[in-house]
Coordinates of all heavy atoms in Angstrom, one line a residue:
M1 N 128.4 127.7 177.6 CA 128.1 127.1 176.3 C 126.6 126.8 176.2 O 126.0 126.9 175.1 CB 128.9 125.8 176.2 CG 128.8 125.1 174.9 SD 129.5 126.1 173.6 CE 129.2 125.1 172.2
K2 N 126.0 126.4 177.3 CA 124.6 126.1 177.3 C 123.7 127.3 177.0 O 122.8 127.2 176.3 CB 124.2 125.5 178.7 CG 122.8 125.0 178.7 CD 122.5 124.4 180.1 CE 121.1 123.8 180.2 NZ 120.8 123.3 181.5
S3 N 124.1 128.5 177.5 CA 123.4 129.7 177.2 C 123.5 130.1 175.8 O 122.6 130.6 175.2 CB 123.8 130.8 178.2 OG 125.2 131.1 178.0
F4 N 124.7 129.9 175.2 CA 124.9 130.2 173.8 C 124.0 129.3 172.9 O 123.5 129.8 171.9 CB 126.4 130.0 173.4 CG 126.7 130.4 172.0 CD1 126.8 131.7 171.6 CD2 127.0 129.4 171.1 CE1 127.1 132.1 170.3 CE2 127.3 129.7 169.8 CZ 127.3 131.1 169.4
L5 N 123.9 128.1 173.3 CA 123.1 127.1 172.5 C 121.6 127.5 172.6 O 120.9 127.5 171.6 CB 123.3 125.7 173.0 CG 122.6 124.6 172.3 CD1 123.1 124.6 170.8 CD2 122.8 123.3 172.9
K6 N 121.2 128.0 173.8 CA 119.8 128.5 173.9 C 119.6 129.7 173.0 O 118.5 129.8 172.3 CB 119.6 129.0 175.3 CG 119.4 127.9 176.3 CD 119.1 128.5 177.7 CE 119.0 127.4 178.8 NZ 118.7 128.0 180.1
V7 N 120.5 130.6 172.9 CA 120.4 131.8 172.0 C 120.3 131.4 170.6 O 119.6 131.9 169.8 CB 121.5 132.8 172.3 CG1 121.5 133.9 171.3 CG2 121.4 133.4 173.7
V8 N 121.2 130.4 170.2 CA 121.2 129.9 168.8 C 119.9 129.3 168.4 O 119.3 129.6 167.4 CB 122.3 128.9 168.6 CG1 122.2 128.2 167.2 CG2 123.7 129.7 168.6
L9 N 119.3 128.4 169.3 CA 118.0 127.8 169.0 C 116.9 128.8 169.0 O 116.0 128.7 168.2 CB 117.8 126.7 170.0 CG 118.7 125.4 169.9 CD1 118.4 124.5 171.0 CD2 118.5 124.8 168.6
L10 N 116.9 129.7 170.0 CA 115.9 130.7 170.0 C 115.9 131.6 168.7 O 114.9 131.9 168.2 CB 116.0 131.6 171.2 CG 114.9 132.6 171.4 CD1 113.5 132.0 171.5 CD2 115.2 133.5 172.7
S11 N 117.1 132.0 168.3 CA 117.2 132.8 167.1 C 116.8 132.0 165.9 O 116.2 132.6 164.9 CB 118.6 133.3 166.9 OG 119.5 132.3 166.7
L12 N 117.0 130.7 165.8 CA 116.5 129.9 164.7 C 115.0 129.9 164.7 O 114.4 130.0 163.6 CB 117.1 128.5 164.8 CG 116.7 127.6 163.7 CD1 117.3 128.1 162.3 CD2 117.3 126.2 163.9
L13 N 114.4 129.7 165.8 CA 112.9 129.8 165.9 C 112.3 131.1 165.5 O 111.3 131.2 164.8 CB 112.5 129.4 167.3 CG 112.6 127.9 167.7 CD1 112.3 127.7 169.2 CD2 111.8 127.0 166.9
V14 N 112.9 132.2 166.0 CA 112.5 133.5 165.7 C 112.6 133.8 164.2 O 111.8 134.3 163.5 CB 113.2 134.6 166.5 CG1 112.9 136.0 166.0 CG2 112.8 134.5 168.0
F15 N 113.8 133.3 163.6 CA 114.0 133.5 162.2 C 113.0 132.8 161.3 O 112.4 133.3 160.4 CB 115.4 133.0 161.8 CG 115.7 133.0 160.4 CD1 116.0 134.2 159.7 CD2 115.7 131.8 159.6 CE1 116.2 134.2 158.3 CE2 115.9 131.8 158.3 CZ 116.2 133.0 157.6
C16 N 112.7 131.5 161.7 CA 111.6 130.8 161.0 C 110.3 131.4 161.1 O 109.5 131.5 160.2 CB 111.6 129.3 161.5 SG 113.1 128.4 161.0
T17 N 109.9 131.9 162.3 CA 108.7 132.6 162.5 C 108.6 133.9 161.7 O 107.5 134.1 161.0 CB 108.5 132.9 164.0 OG1 108.6 131.7 164.7 CG2 107.2 133.6 164.3
V18 N 109.6 134.7 161.7 CA 109.6 135.9 160.9 C 109.5 135.6 159.4 O 108.7 136.2 158.6 CB 110.8 136.8 161.2 CG1 111.0 137.9 160.2 CG2 110.7 137.3 162.6
S19 N 110.2 134.6 158.9 CA 110.1 134.2 157.5 C 108.7 133.7 157.2 O 108.2 134.0 156.1 CB 111.1 133.1 157.2 OG 112.4 133.6 157.4
F20 N 108.1 132.9 158.1 CA 106.7 132.4 157.8 C 105.7 133.6 157.8 O 104.8 133.6 156.9 CB 106.3 131.4 158.9 CG 104.9 130.9 158.7 CD1 104.7 130.0 157.6 CD2 103.9 131.2 159.5 CE1 103.4 129.5 157.4 CE2 102.6 130.7 159.4 CZ 102.4 129.9 158.3
L21 N 105.9 134.6 158.6 CA 105.0 135.8 158.6 C 105.2 136.5 157.3 O 104.2 137.1 156.8 CB 105.3 136.6 159.8 CG 104.8 136.0 161.1 CD1 105.2 136.9 162.3 CD2 103.3 135.8 161.1
T22 N 106.4 136.6 156.7 CA 106.6 137.3 155.5 C 105.9 136.5 154.3 O 105.4 137.1 153.4 CB 108.1 137.5 155.1 OG1 108.8 136.3 155.1 CG2 108.7 138.4 156.1
V23 N 105.9 135.2 154.5 CA 105.2 134.3 153.5 C 103.7 134.7 153.5 O 103.0 134.9 152.5 CB 105.4 132.8 153.7 CG1 104.5 132.0 152.9 CG2 106.8 132.5 153.4
L24 N 103.1 134.7 154.8 CA 101.7 135.1 154.9 C 101.4 136.4 154.4 O 100.4 136.7 153.8 CB 101.3 134.9 156.4 CG 101.3 133.5 156.9 CD1 100.8 133.6 158.4 CD2 100.3 132.6 156.2
N25 N 102.3 137.4 154.6 CA 102.1 138.7 154.2 C 102.2 138.8 152.6 O 101.5 139.6 152.0 CB 103.2 139.7 154.8 CG 102.9 141.1 154.4 OD1 101.8 141.5 154.5 ND2 103.9 141.9 154.2
T26 N 103.0 138.0 152.0 CA 103.1 138.0 150.6 C 101.8 137.3 150.0 O 101.3 137.8 148.9 CB 104.3 137.2 150.1 OG1 105.5 137.8 150.6 CG2 104.4 137.1 148.6
I27 N 101.3 136.3 150.6 CA 100.1 135.7 150.1 C 98.9 136.6 150.1 O 98.2 136.8 149.2 CB 99.8 134.3 150.8 CG1 100.9 133.3 150.5 CG2 98.5 133.8 150.5 CD1 100.8 132.1 151.4
H28 N 98.7 137.2 151.3 CA 97.6 138.2 151.4 C 98.0 139.2 152.5 O 98.1 138.9 153.7 CB 96.3 137.5 151.9 CG 95.2 138.4 152.0 ND1 94.6 139.1 150.9 CD2 94.4 138.8 153.1 CE1 93.6 139.8 151.4 NE2 93.5 139.6 152.7
S29 N 98.2 140.4 152.0 CA 98.7 141.4 152.9 C 97.5 142.1 153.6 O 96.6 142.6 153.0 CB 99.5 142.5 152.2 OG 99.8 143.6 153.0
P30 N 97.5 142.1 155.0 CA 96.4 142.8 155.7 C 96.5 144.3 155.6 O 95.5 145.0 155.8 CB 96.5 142.3 157.1 CG 98.0 141.9 157.2 CD 98.4 141.4 155.9
L31 N 97.7 144.8 155.3 CA 97.9 146.2 155.2 C 97.4 146.8 153.9 O 96.7 147.9 153.9 CB 99.3 146.6 155.4 CG 100.0 146.1 156.7 CD1 101.5 146.4 156.7 CD2 99.3 146.8 157.9
T32 N 97.6 146.1 152.8 CA 97.2 146.6 151.5 C 95.9 146.1 151.0 O 95.3 146.5 150.0 CB 98.3 146.4 150.4 OG1 98.5 145.0 150.4 CG2 99.5 147.1 150.8
K33 N 95.4 145.0 151.7 CA 94.1 144.4 151.4 C 94.0 143.9 149.9 O 92.9 144.0 149.3 CB 92.9 145.4 151.7 CG 92.9 145.8 153.1 CD 92.4 144.8 154.0 CE 92.2 145.3 155.4 NZ 92.1 144.4 156.4
H34 N 95.0 143.4 149.4 CA 94.9 142.8 148.0 C 95.9 141.6 147.9 O 96.8 141.4 148.7 CB 95.2 143.8 146.9 CG 96.7 144.3 146.9 ND1 97.7 143.7 147.5 CD2 97.2 145.3 146.2 CE1 98.8 144.3 147.2 NE2 98.6 145.3 146.5
F35 N 95.5 140.7 147.0 CA 96.3 139.5 146.7 C 97.5 139.9 145.8 O 97.3 140.6 144.8 CB 95.5 138.4 146.1 CG 94.5 137.9 147.1 CD1 93.2 138.3 147.0 CD2 94.8 136.9 148.0 CE1 92.2 137.8 147.9 CE2 93.9 136.4 148.9 CZ 92.6 136.9 148.8
Q36 N 98.6 139.3 146.0 CA 99.8 139.5 145.2 C 100.1 138.2 144.5 O 100.9 137.4 145.0 CB 101.0 140.1 146.0 CG 100.7 141.4 146.7 CD 101.9 141.8 147.6 OE1 102.8 141.0 147.8 NE2 101.8 143.0 148.1
L37 N 99.5 137.9 143.4 CA 99.7 136.6 142.8 C 100.9 136.6 141.8 O 101.3 135.5 141.5 CB 98.4 136.2 142.1 CG 97.2 136.1 142.9 CD1 95.9 135.8 142.1 CD2 97.4 135.0 143.9
N38 N 101.4 137.7 141.4 CA 102.4 137.7 140.4 C 103.8 137.7 141.0 O 104.8 137.5 140.3 CB 102.3 138.9 139.5 CG 102.3 140.2 140.2 OD1 102.2 140.3 141.4 ND2 102.4 141.3 139.4
E39 N 103.9 137.9 142.4 CA 105.3 137.9 143.0 C 105.2 137.3 144.4 O 104.3 137.5 145.1 CB 105.7 139.4 143.1 CG 107.2 139.5 143.4 CD 107.6 140.9 143.3 OE1 107.3 141.8 144.1 OE2 108.4 141.2 142.3
F40 N 106.2 136.6 144.7 CA 106.3 135.9 146.0 C 107.7 136.2 146.6 O 108.7 135.9 146.0 CB 106.1 134.4 145.8 CG 106.1 133.6 147.0 CD1 105.0 133.6 147.8 CD2 107.1 132.8 147.3 CE1 104.9 132.9 149.0 CE2 107.1 132.0 148.5 CZ 106.0 132.0 149.3
R41 N 107.7 136.8 147.8 CA 109.0 137.1 148.5 C 109.0 136.6 149.9 O 108.0 136.6 150.6 CB 109.1 138.7 148.5 CG 109.3 139.3 147.2 CD 109.3 140.8 147.4 NE 109.4 141.5 146.2 CZ 110.4 142.2 145.8 NH1 111.5 142.4 146.6 NH2 110.5 142.8 144.6
I42 N 110.2 136.2 150.3 CA 110.4 135.7 151.7 C 111.6 136.4 152.2 O 112.6 136.5 151.6 CB 110.6 134.2 151.7 CG1 109.5 133.4 151.1 CG2 110.9 133.7 153.2 CD1 109.7 131.9 151.0
G43 N 111.5 136.9 153.5 CA 112.6 137.6 154.1 C 112.3 138.9 154.7 O 111.6 139.7 154.0
F44 N 112.7 139.2 155.9 CA 112.6 140.5 156.5 C 113.8 140.8 157.3 O 114.1 139.9 158.2 CB 111.3 140.7 157.3 CG 111.2 142.0 158.0 CD1 110.7 143.1 157.2 CD2 111.5 142.2 159.3 CE1 110.6 144.3 157.8 CE2 111.4 143.4 159.9 CZ 110.9 144.5 159.1
P45 N 114.5 141.9 157.3 CA 114.3 143.0 156.4 C 114.9 142.8 155.0 O 114.6 143.6 154.1 CB 115.0 144.1 157.1 CG 116.1 143.4 157.9 CD 115.5 142.1 158.2
F46 N 115.7 141.8 154.8 CA 116.2 141.6 153.5 C 115.5 140.4 152.8 O 115.3 139.4 153.4 CB 117.7 141.2 153.6 CG 118.5 142.2 154.3 CD1 119.0 141.9 155.6 CD2 118.8 143.5 153.8 CE1 119.8 142.9 156.3 CE2 119.5 144.4 154.5 CZ 120.0 144.1 155.7
T47 N 115.1 140.5 151.5 CA 114.5 139.5 150.8 C 115.5 138.4 150.4 O 116.4 138.8 149.6 CB 113.7 140.0 149.6 OG1 112.8 141.0 150.0 CG2 113.0 138.9 148.8
F48 N 115.4 137.2 150.8 CA 116.3 136.2 150.4 C 115.8 135.2 149.5 O 116.5 134.3 148.9 CB 116.9 135.5 151.7 CG 115.9 134.8 152.6 CD1 115.5 133.5 152.3 CD2 115.5 135.5 153.7 CE1 114.6 132.9 153.2 CE2 114.6 134.8 154.6 CZ 114.2 133.6 154.3
Y49 N 114.5 135.2 149.2 CA 113.9 134.3 148.2 C 112.8 135.1 147.4 O 112.0 135.8 148.0 CB 113.2 133.1 148.8 CG 112.6 132.2 147.7 CD1 113.3 131.3 147.0 CD2 111.2 132.3 147.5 CE1 112.7 130.5 146.0 CE2 110.6 131.5 146.5 CZ 111.4 130.6 145.8 OH 110.8 129.8 144.8
K50 N 112.9 135.1 146.1 CA 111.9 135.8 145.3 C 111.5 134.9 144.1 O 112.3 134.3 143.5 CB 112.6 137.1 144.7 CG 111.6 137.9 143.9 CD 112.3 139.2 143.5 CE 111.4 140.0 142.6 NZ 112.1 141.2 142.2
E51 N 110.2 134.9 143.9 CA 109.6 134.1 142.7 C 108.6 135.1 142.0 O 107.8 135.7 142.7 CB 108.9 132.9 143.3 CG 108.3 132.0 142.2 CD 107.7 130.8 142.7 OE1 108.4 130.0 143.3 OE2 106.5 130.7 142.6
F52 N 108.7 135.1 140.7 CA 107.8 135.9 140.0 C 107.4 135.3 138.7 O 108.1 134.4 138.2 CB 108.3 137.3 139.7 CG 109.7 137.4 139.0 CD1 109.7 137.5 137.7 CD2 110.8 137.2 139.8 CE1 111.0 137.5 137.0 CE2 112.1 137.3 139.1 CZ 112.1 137.4 137.8
I53 N 106.3 135.6 138.2 CA 105.7 135.0 136.9 C 105.9 136.0 135.8 O 105.4 137.1 135.9 CB 104.3 134.6 137.1 CG1 104.1 133.6 138.2 CG2 103.7 134.1 135.8 CD1 102.7 133.3 138.6
V54 N 106.6 135.6 134.8 CA 106.7 136.4 133.6 C 105.8 135.9 132.5 O 105.0 136.6 132.0 CB 108.2 136.4 133.0 CG1 108.3 137.1 131.7 CG2 109.1 137.0 134.0
D55 N 105.8 134.6 132.3 CA 104.9 133.9 131.4 C 104.2 132.9 132.2 O 104.8 132.1 133.0 CB 105.7 133.3 130.2 CG 104.8 132.8 129.1 OD1 103.6 133.2 129.1 OD2 105.3 132.2 128.2
C56 N 102.9 132.8 132.1 CA 102.1 132.0 133.0 C 102.6 130.6 133.3 O 102.6 130.2 134.5 CB 100.6 131.9 132.6 SG 99.8 133.5 132.9
P57 N 103.0 129.8 132.3 CA 103.4 128.4 132.7 C 104.8 128.4 133.3 O 105.2 127.4 133.9 CB 103.4 127.7 131.4 CG 103.2 128.6 130.3 CD 102.8 129.9 130.9
H58 N 105.6 129.4 133.2 CA 107.0 129.4 133.7 C 107.1 130.4 134.8 O 106.8 131.6 134.6 CB 108.0 129.7 132.6 CG 107.8 128.7 131.4 ND1 108.2 127.4 131.5 CD2 107.4 128.9 130.2 CE1 107.9 126.8 130.4 NE2 107.4 127.7 129.5
T59 N 107.7 130.0 135.9 CA 108.0 130.9 137.0 C 109.5 131.1 137.1 O 110.3 130.2 136.8 CB 107.5 130.4 138.3 OG1 108.1 129.1 138.6 CG2 106.0 130.3 138.4
N60 N 110.0 132.3 137.5 CA 111.4 132.6 137.7 C 111.6 132.7 139.2 O 110.7 133.4 139.8 CB 111.8 133.9 137.0 CG 111.6 133.7 135.5 OD1 112.1 132.8 134.9 ND2 111.0 134.7 134.8
F61 N 112.6 132.2 139.7 CA 112.8 132.2 141.2 C 114.3 132.3 141.4 O 115.1 132.0 140.5 CB 112.2 131.0 141.9 CG 112.8 129.7 141.5 CD1 113.9 129.2 142.2 CD2 112.3 129.0 140.4 CE1 114.4 128.0 141.8 CE2 112.8 127.8 140.0 CZ 113.9 127.3 140.7
G62 N 114.6 132.7 142.6 CA 116.0 132.8 143.0 C 116.2 133.0 144.5 O 115.4 133.6 145.1
W63 N 117.3 132.5 144.9 CA 117.8 132.6 146.3 C 118.9 133.6 146.4 O 119.8 133.6 145.5 CB 118.3 131.3 146.9 CG 117.2 130.3 147.1 CD1 116.7 129.4 146.2 CD2 116.5 130.1 148.3 NE1 115.7 128.6 146.8 CE2 115.6 129.0 148.1 CE3 116.5 130.7 149.6 CZ2 114.7 128.6 149.1 CZ3 115.6 130.2 150.5 CH2 114.8 129.2 150.3
N64 N 118.9 134.4 147.4 CA 120.0 135.3 147.7 C 120.6 134.9 149.1 O 120.1 135.3 150.1 CB 119.6 136.8 147.7 CG 120.7 137.7 147.8 OD1 121.8 137.4 148.3 ND2 120.5 138.9 147.4
L65 N 121.6 134.0 149.0 CA 122.1 133.5 150.3 C 122.8 134.5 151.2 O 122.8 134.3 152.4 CB 123.1 132.3 149.9 CG 122.5 131.1 149.2 CD1 123.6 130.1 148.9 CD2 121.4 130.5 150.1
K66 N 123.3 135.6 150.6 CA 123.9 136.6 151.4 C 122.8 137.3 152.3 O 123.0 137.5 153.5 CB 124.6 137.7 150.5 CG 125.4 138.7 151.3 CD 126.0 139.8 150.5 CE 126.4 139.5 149.1 NZ 127.0 140.6 148.4
N67 N 121.7 137.6 151.7 CA 120.6 138.2 152.4 C 120.0 137.2 153.5 O 119.6 137.6 154.5 CB 119.5 138.6 151.5 CG 119.8 139.9 150.8 OD1 120.8 140.5 151.0 ND2 119.0 140.3 149.8
L68 N 120.0 135.9 153.2 CA 119.6 134.9 154.1 C 120.5 134.9 155.4 O 120.0 134.9 156.5 CB 119.6 133.5 153.5 CG 119.3 132.3 154.3 CD1 117.8 132.3 154.7 CD2 119.7 131.0 153.7
M69 N 121.8 135.0 155.1 CA 122.7 135.0 156.3 C 122.6 136.3 157.0 O 122.7 136.4 158.3 CB 124.2 134.8 155.8 CG 124.4 133.5 155.2 SD 124.0 132.1 156.3 CE 125.2 132.3 157.6
F70 N 122.4 137.5 156.3 CA 122.2 138.8 157.0 C 121.0 138.8 157.9 O 121.0 139.3 159.0 CB 122.1 139.9 156.0 CG 123.5 140.3 155.4 CD1 123.5 140.8 154.1 CD2 124.7 140.2 156.1 CE1 124.7 141.2 153.5 CE2 125.9 140.5 155.5 CZ 125.9 141.1 154.2
D71 N 119.9 138.2 157.4 CA 118.7 138.1 158.1 C 118.9 137.3 159.4 O 118.5 137.7 160.5 CB 117.5 137.5 157.3 CG 116.8 138.5 156.4 OD1 117.1 139.7 156.5 OD2 116.0 138.0 155.6
Y72 N 119.5 136.2 159.3 CA 119.7 135.3 160.5 C 120.7 136.0 161.4 O 120.5 136.0 162.7 CB 120.2 133.9 160.1 CG 120.4 133.1 161.3 CD1 119.4 132.5 162.0 CD2 121.7 132.8 161.8 CE1 119.5 131.8 163.1 CE2 121.9 132.1 162.9 CZ 120.8 131.5 163.6 OH 121.0 130.8 164.7
L73 N 121.8 136.5 160.9 CA 122.7 137.2 161.8 C 122.2 138.4 162.5 O 122.5 138.7 163.7 CB 124.0 137.6 161.0 CG 124.9 136.4 160.6 CD1 126.0 136.9 159.8 CD2 125.4 135.7 161.8
L74 N 121.3 139.1 161.9 CA 120.6 140.3 162.5 C 119.7 139.8 163.6 O 119.8 140.3 164.8 CB 119.8 141.0 161.5 CG 119.1 142.2 162.0 CD1 120.0 143.3 162.4 CD2 118.1 142.8 160.9
I75 N 119.0 138.8 163.4 CA 118.1 138.2 164.5 C 118.9 137.6 165.6 O 118.7 137.9 166.8 CB 117.1 137.2 163.9 CG1 116.1 137.9 163.0 CG2 116.5 136.4 165.0 CD1 115.2 137.0 162.3
F76 N 120.0 136.9 165.3 CA 120.9 136.3 166.3 C 121.5 137.4 167.1 O 121.6 137.3 168.4 CB 122.0 135.5 165.6 CG 123.0 134.9 166.5 CD1 122.6 133.8 167.3 CD2 124.2 135.5 166.6 CE1 123.6 133.3 168.2 CE2 125.2 135.0 167.5 CZ 124.8 133.9 168.3
T77 N 122.0 138.5 166.5 CA 122.6 139.6 167.2 C 121.7 140.3 168.2 O 122.0 140.6 169.3 CB 123.2 140.6 166.2 OG1 124.1 139.9 165.4 CG2 124.0 141.7 167.0
V78 N 120.5 140.5 167.7 CA 119.5 141.2 168.6 C 119.1 140.3 169.8 O 119.1 140.8 170.9 CB 118.2 141.5 167.7 CG1 117.0 141.9 168.6 CG2 118.5 142.6 166.7
L79 N 118.9 139.0 169.5 CA 118.6 138.1 170.6 C 119.8 138.0 171.6 O 119.6 137.8 172.8 CB 118.1 136.8 170.1 CG 116.7 136.8 169.5 CD1 116.4 135.4 168.9 CD2 115.7 137.2 170.5
L80 N 121.0 137.9 171.1 CA 122.1 137.8 171.9 C 122.3 139.1 172.8 O 122.5 139.0 174.0 CB 123.4 137.7 171.1 CG 124.7 137.3 171.8 CD1 124.5 135.9 172.4 CD2 125.8 137.3 170.8
L81 N 122.0 140.3 172.3 CA 122.1 141.5 173.1 C 121.0 141.5 174.1 O 121.2 141.9 175.2 CB 122.0 142.7 172.1 CG 123.2 143.0 171.2 CD1 122.9 144.1 170.3 CD2 124.4 143.3 172.1
L82 N 119.8 141.0 173.7 CA 118.7 141.0 174.7 C 119.0 140.0 175.8 O 118.7 140.2 177.0 CB 117.4 140.6 174.0 CG 116.7 141.7 173.1 CD1 115.6 141.1 172.4 CD2 116.3 142.9 174.0
Y83 N 119.6 138.9 175.5 CA 120.0 137.9 176.5 C 121.0 138.4 177.5 O 120.8 138.3 178.7 CB 120.5 136.6 175.8 CG 120.9 135.5 176.7 CD1 119.9 134.7 177.3 CD2 122.2 135.3 177.1 CE1 120.2 133.7 178.2 CE2 122.5 134.3 178.0 CZ 121.5 133.5 178.5 OH 121.8 132.5 179.4
F84 N 122.0 139.1 177.0 CA 123.0 139.7 177.9 C 122.4 140.8 178.7 O 122.8 141.0 179.9 CB 124.2 140.2 177.1 CG 125.1 139.0 176.7 CD1 125.6 139.0 175.3 CD2 125.5 138.0 177.5 CE1 126.4 137.9 174.9 CE2 126.3 137.0 177.1 CZ 126.8 137.0 175.8
A85 N 121.6 141.6 178.1 CA 120.9 142.7 178.9 C 120.0 142.2 180.0 O 120.0 142.7 181.1 CB 120.1 143.6 177.9
K86 N 119.3 141.1 179.7 CA 118.5 140.4 180.7 C 119.3 139.9 181.8 O 119.0 140.1 183.0 CB 117.7 139.3 180.1 CG 116.8 138.6 181.1 CD 116.2 137.3 180.5 CE 117.3 136.3 180.6 NZ 117.0 135.0 180.9
N87 N 120.4 139.3 181.5 CA 121.3 138.7 182.6 C 121.9 139.8 183.4 O 122.1 139.7 184.6 CB 122.4 137.8 182.0 CG 121.8 136.5 181.6 OD1 120.8 136.1 182.0 ND2 122.6 135.8 180.7
K88 N 122.3 141.0 182.8 CA 122.9 142.1 183.5 C 121.8 142.7 184.4 O 122.2 143.0 185.6 CB 123.3 143.1 182.5 CG 124.2 144.2 183.1 CD 124.7 145.1 182.1 CE 125.6 146.2 182.7 NZ 126.2 147.1 181.7
I89 N 120.6 142.8 184.0 CA 119.5 143.4 184.9 C 119.3 142.4 186.0 O 119.1 142.8 187.2 CB 118.3 143.6 184.1 CG1 118.5 144.8 183.1 CG2 117.1 143.9 185.0 CD1 117.4 145.0 182.1
I90 N 119.2 141.1 185.8 CA 119.0 140.1 186.8 C 120.1 140.2 187.9 O 119.9 140.0 189.1 CB 118.8 138.7 186.3 CG1 117.5 138.7 185.5 CG2 118.9 137.6 187.3 CD1 117.2 137.4 184.8
K91 N 121.4 140.3 187.4 CA 122.5 140.4 188.4 C 122.4 141.6 189.3 O 122.9 141.6 190.4 CB 123.8 140.3 187.6 CG 124.1 138.9 187.1 CD 125.5 138.9 186.4 CE 125.7 137.5 185.8 NZ 127.0 137.5 185.1
K92 N 121.9 142.7 188.7 CA 121.8 143.9 189.6 C 120.8 143.8 190.7 O 120.9 144.4 191.7 CB 121.4 145.1 188.7 CG 122.5 145.7 187.9 CD 122.1 146.9 187.2 CE 123.3 147.6 186.4 NZ 122.9 148.8 185.7
I93 N 119.8 143.0 190.4 CA 118.7 142.8 191.4 C 119.1 141.9 192.5 O 119.7 141.6 193.2 CB 117.4 142.2 190.8 CG1 116.9 143.2 189.8 CG2 116.4 141.9 191.8 CD1 115.7 142.8 189.0

């Protein structure tokens, strides 16, 4: 149970870090070298929050909770597989 809790907490930290990096990439992308002021997206590989400006004083935004859960479950699954692979390698040694 303790190892499962470690994986859950680690996956939460990795999820928050990846989401924060997508925020930074949306604010100013180092790859495209331009500012994206008309659209704001959070989430990798699935976008779970999007905000865009149609008329300057009003912004439109929305959450996609299904993509939010997919993003977290994907990160959780990858970290769980890595954790089990690490333990299997350590047991062989």
Side-chain angles (χ1 to χ4, degrees):
M1 185 66 182
K2 188 176 178 182
S3 61
F4 182 75
L5 187 60
K6 284 182 185 178
V7 172
V8 168
L9 290 175
L10 183 61
S11 63
L12 183 62
L13 288 172
V14 170
F15 174 75
C16 291
T17 303
V18 168
S19 297
F20 180 70
L21 290 175
T22 60
V23 169
L24 291 179
N25 188 40
T26 300
I27 292 171
H28 181 65
S29 176
L31 300 175
T32 58
K33 301 287 186 199
H34 68 16
F35 291 99
Q36 299 173 355
L37 297 175
N38 59 349
E39 192 171 73
F40 185 72
R41 294 175 182 246
I42 302 174
F44 178 80
F46 307 109
T47 301
F48 58 84
Y49 179 80
K50 182 178 179 182
E51 181 178 297
F52 56 94
I53 299 173
V54 176
D55 192 9
C56 286
H58 304 290
T59 59
N60 297 312
F61 61 92
W63 288 88
N64 188 336
L65 295 179
K66 190 186 323 181
N67 285 352
L68 177 72
M69 294 306 292
F70 284 151
D71 277 351
Y72 181 74
L73 287 175
L74 180 67
I75 289 173
F76 176 76
T77 304
V78 168
L79 288 176
L80 192 64
L81 291 173
L82 288 173
Y83 182 78
F84 285 131
K86 180 191 80 141
N87 285 342
K88 189 174 183 181
I89 290 171
I90 288 175
K91 285 182 182 178
K92 282 186 176 181
I93 295 176

